[in-house]
Amino acid sequence: MVTTALAVRYARYGDPGVLSLDAVEPPVPGAGEVRVAVRAAGVNPYDAKARRGLYASDGAPAEPARVGLEYAGTIDALGPDVTGWSPGDDVFGLASGSAATHIVVPAEGLVAKPARLSFVQAAALPVACETAYRVIRLLDVRAGDILLVHAAAGAVGLVAGQLALARGARVIGTAGPANHEFLASLGVEPVLYGDGLAARVRALAPDGVDAVLDASGRDVLPVSIELAGGPDRVVTIADGSAAQYRVRASWTADLPLPEVFEAVLPLVEQGTVRMPIAATFPLEQVAAAQELSETGHLRGKIVLTVG
């Protein structure tokens, strides 16, 4: 029986110093739910933006807010009406407040963790894979297409580029010089972001590109529209000015995670889709993890380890 639990929370908006690791009541699974003893939790840009109050309309959370969007761990309790899962099963998935020792999640959203993946590797996958898979479907990327990915070395950009390559597309990715060699090793054609980007892309693709994923949010929509010949096949996951440019924005997860990983997990297990781990931190050092996340220009994911 679990008698103690810990969760990362913040009672006011601000810098990473507002985060604390608090004792909380151990969650109890209800009907159709399971409790997971978390072993690892992914860190995402959303975490820091929410902590700073960028999505809030009030001066402070009404009650302490939780942190985290994705996890990997082991089921340690079942709620009523749960079938197909047992205590001791290793799983991963999406869950708000996952930076904790224990969480309760709907059983229908669980994905079984393959033995060959560590908990850290599994916790790095849900947000990036769901987002990348969703956007690749929205853009209808096909064999022979040229896809331009902004922030190609970030978690979503990496997965999107590799999924597009697996479909037979050609991928051009913007990144800083330190990540060019790595991107090239994956089959992505790297270009430097910033002034002169259109000319650098056209040096590789004289007729422009067929589709664009903006995972950077750094004012790249105008050049993306120019290179794609219009806004119809440009999607952003990071730029709030999308409507101004008539570009589609895709903000939130809307695909069932088991459906996503039915398609993506075999590619991960084959090594066709790889997610590098930029850094790991123990749960107690969540402030340092978020501080690093806010610097940007990371290759892959930061992951918190638990226990």
Side-chain angles (χ1 to χ4, degrees):
M1 177 182 293
V2 175
T3 58
T4 60
L6 300 172
V8 177
R9 305 194 300 180
Y10 55 93
R12 57 189 175 87
Y13 300 119
D15 63 24
V18 303
L19 297 170
S20 60
L21 185 59
D22 299 337
V24 296
E25 284 293 319
V28 177
E33 296 179 328
V34 306
R35 186 173 64 208
V36 175
V38 178
R39 297 286 302 277
V43 176
N44 291 278
Y46 173 89
D47 299 326
K49 292 176 181 177
R51 187 203 72 232
R52 290 191 179 278
L54 298 185
Y55 306 118
S57 56
D58 301 326
E63 57 185 39
R66 298 276 293 262
V67 170
L69 297 174
E70 57 191 340
Y71 68 92
T74 303
I75 295 174
D76 74 353
L78 304 178
D81 304 322
V82 172
T83 59
W85 299 102
S86 302
D89 288 345
D90 293 334
V91 295
F92 66 100
L94 294 168
S96 179
S98 57
T101 58
H102 298 82
I103 56 174
V104 162
V105 296
E108 65 183 7
L110 295 171
V111 180
K113 183 186 80 65
R116 70 182 64 187
L117 286 184
S118 69
F119 287 105
V120 166
Q121 290 169 323
L125 296 175
V127 169
C129 288
E130 192 281 335
T131 305
Y133 184 76
R134 168 172 25 105
V135 173
I136 291 296
R137 290 211 327 184
L138 280 174
L139 289 170
D140 193 24
V141 175
R142 303 183 181 188
D145 282 351
I146 302 176
L147 171 68
L148 173 62
V149 179
H150 295 289
V156 173
L158 281 170
V159 177
Q162 292 173 92
L163 290 178
L165 289 168
R167 290 186 174 206
R170 182 181 168 199
V171 180
I172 299 171
T174 69
N179 287 313
H180 283 199
E181 183 177 352
F182 175 72
L183 289 173
S185 75
L186 299 177
V188 174
E189 300 169 56
V191 295
L192 185 66
Y193 53 78
D195 292 344
L197 176 61
R200 289 191 292 276
V201 172
R202 288 193 184 278
L204 297 172
D207 296 327
V209 301
D210 299 294
V212 182
L213 162 59
D214 168 32
S216 76
R218 295 188 176 97
D219 195 28
V220 294
L221 296 184
V223 70
S224 299
I225 293 167
E226 174 190 343
L227 290 165
D232 293 348
R233 292 195 72 193
V234 179
V235 170
T236 183
I237 63 167
D239 194 325
S241 64
Q244 173 185 341
Y245 295 102
R246 295 184 295 115
V247 164
R248 285 180 293 175
S250 188
W251 303 124
T252 57
D254 61 10
L255 295 177
L257 211 61
E259 175 187 330
V260 171
F261 279 99
E262 183 178 1
V264 175
L265 198 53
L267 299 176
V268 173
E269 294 191 90
Q270 296 162 14
T272 302
V273 171
R274 290 186 280 158
M275 174 61 75
I277 305 301
T280 61
F281 292 82
L283 186 63
E284 296 80 2
Q285 295 180 19
V286 61
Q290 286 199 13
E291 187 174 5
L292 177 60
S293 175
E294 287 187 278
T295 67
H297 305 293
L298 298 168
R299 181 188 298 174
K301 288 297 290 280
I302 301 170
V303 178
L304 299 169
T305 58
V306 183

